[in-house]
Amino acid sequence: MKILSIQSAVAYGHVGNSAAVFPLQRIGVEVLPVYTVNFSNHTGYGAWRGPLIGPDDVRDVILGIEERGVLPEIDVVLSGYQGGEGIADVILDAVARVKAANPDAVYSCDPVMGNAKSGCFVAPAIPILLRDRVVPSADIITPNQFELGFLTDTEPDTLASTLESVDRIRDTGPRTVLVTSVERPDRPDDTIEMLAVDDGGAWIVQTPRIPMKANGSGDVTAALFTAHYRRTGDLGDALARTTSSVFDLLERTHESGERELQLVESQESYAHPRMQFEVRQVR
């Protein structure tokens, strides 16, 4: 499998491509990383150095890949945080070029815009751009519950209302939806869930909540889920493998006391997930 991953990169720590590439490689995926920024560290520190990479430069890198004759071999285009409006056009153009070269290729979009605690943390134009242009062009999307609500102009909280919101977004284009950070009012304390839906049904998994903020964990989740699902087409299995790997990554990071993901130290959790959580079909 080959994945063209168009995301940010940092020298210190693990977000964007700096979070997604190694876990994908560890499960046997060939990754072509294209950077949209090249920062010293993620912006959560409040200070960072390095350049934004302009849309024309990102487009040029993708053109160079195309000139090597690689696009027919690409199975997935993956995108995450979009720092500026111009990057969306580059990504959508890349998706169109890849699908023209390989009609079986899919586009997986992590529509990063914010979360329930902090609200939107991207430029004001980005959520609207994602909703109106990017998400409808995707085959797979991986929003959190807050982002799903914005994309559908709904307030998902219960399982039923979250499924209704998923059905609404699926009607706009993407057929496969992974909802991360699902928080239902009737769930046990100190737990969190993920919900995955495709044409074949809906599956949910519950894990203990690990009390930490982990920048980059969503990027790892989107990457692993996309790869597992694209490889097998088995939604429940992809959800189970992703959940197992990401939980062990977060648990190891929390136990380490470090702020940054213990990405390398957790590599066996990607290659050989423990499959320790029950995945239930709910529809």
Side-chain angles (χ1 to χ4, degrees):
M1 186 188 304
K2 283 187 171 67
I3 293 182
L4 176 65
S5 181
I6 308 171
Q7 300 195 56
S8 60
V10 295
Y12 173 71
H14 303 289
V15 298
N17 269 331
S18 301
V21 171
F22 177 67
L24 288 173
Q25 291 172 330
R26 194 62 182 82
I27 64 171
V29 176
E30 183 72 32
V31 188
L32 288 71
V34 176
Y35 300 155
T36 55
V37 309
N38 190 10
F39 286 166
S40 56
N41 51 269
H42 69 70
T43 59
Y45 285 96
W48 65 93
R49 294 182 182 273
L52 287 164
I53 300 175
D56 288 343
D57 291 326
V58 177
R59 191 188 306 270
D60 211 33
V61 172
I62 296 170
L63 177 59
I65 295 171
E66 183 176 22
E67 290 170 343
R68 302 287 74 75
V70 180
L71 296 196
E73 302 172 12
I74 292 175
D75 302 287
V76 178
V77 179
L78 174 66
S79 71
Y81 171 77
Q82 299 185 19
E85 298 176 53
I87 292 297
D89 288 329
V90 176
I91 292 170
L92 292 175
D93 181 64
V95 170
R97 289 172 178 271
V98 167
K99 288 191 171 187
N102 178 12
D104 290 330
V106 299
Y107 171 36
S108 179
C109 171
D110 186 7
V112 179
M113 61 182 76
N115 56 59
K117 290 184 178 179
S118 61
C120 282
F121 49 64
V122 297
I126 297 297
I128 297 169
L129 180 64
L130 287 168
R131 182 192 65 198
D132 294 348
R133 292 192 56 216
V134 179
V135 165
S137 300
D139 301 288
I140 302 168
I141 61 170
T142 58
N144 60 36
Q145 196 172 24
F146 169 84
E147 292 160 344
L148 176 65
F150 179 88
L151 291 169
T152 56
D153 194 25
T154 61
E155 296 183 2
D157 53 0
T158 65
L159 177 58
S161 63
T162 303
L163 284 168
E164 288 173 4
S165 297
V166 168
D167 289 341
R168 183 174 296 193
I169 200 67
R170 291 178 73 239
D171 286 340
T172 71
R175 302 307 300 162
T176 302
V177 180
L178 172 69
V179 187
T180 64
S181 303
V182 174
E183 299 184 77
R184 296 187 286 150
D186 57 344
R187 75 188 191 282
D189 290 342
D190 298 321
T191 63
I192 197 163
E193 294 170 314
M194 288 202 293
L195 173 72
V197 183
D198 68 3
D199 291 340
W203 301 78
I204 198 166
V205 61
Q206 185 178 95
T207 72
R209 176 194 288 276
I210 298 175
M212 63 174 294
K213 179 181 180 182
N215 295 90
S217 59
D219 303 319
V220 176
T221 301
L224 288 176
F225 175 80
T226 296
H228 288 311
Y229 183 67
R230 184 68 178 89
R231 179 173 278 161
T232 68
D234 187 326
L235 187 69
D237 182 72
L239 180 59
R241 290 180 182 277
T242 302
T243 302
S244 176
S245 298
V246 173
F247 179 85
D248 283 351
L249 167 63
L250 292 175
E251 186 175 54
R252 185 171 284 105
T253 300
H254 181 59
E255 290 173 351
S256 76
E258 298 290 334
R259 177 170 180 173
E260 295 292 343
L261 291 176
Q262 300 299 287
L263 199 76
V264 175
E265 295 83 350
S266 303
Q267 60 181 288
E268 286 303 307
S269 297
Y270 324 137
H272 306 289
R274 292 189 292 146
M275 308 294 277
Q276 68 271 45
F277 299 110
E278 178 190 6
V279 174
R280 295 187 298 109
Q281 187 167 9
V282 292
R283 193 171 69 187

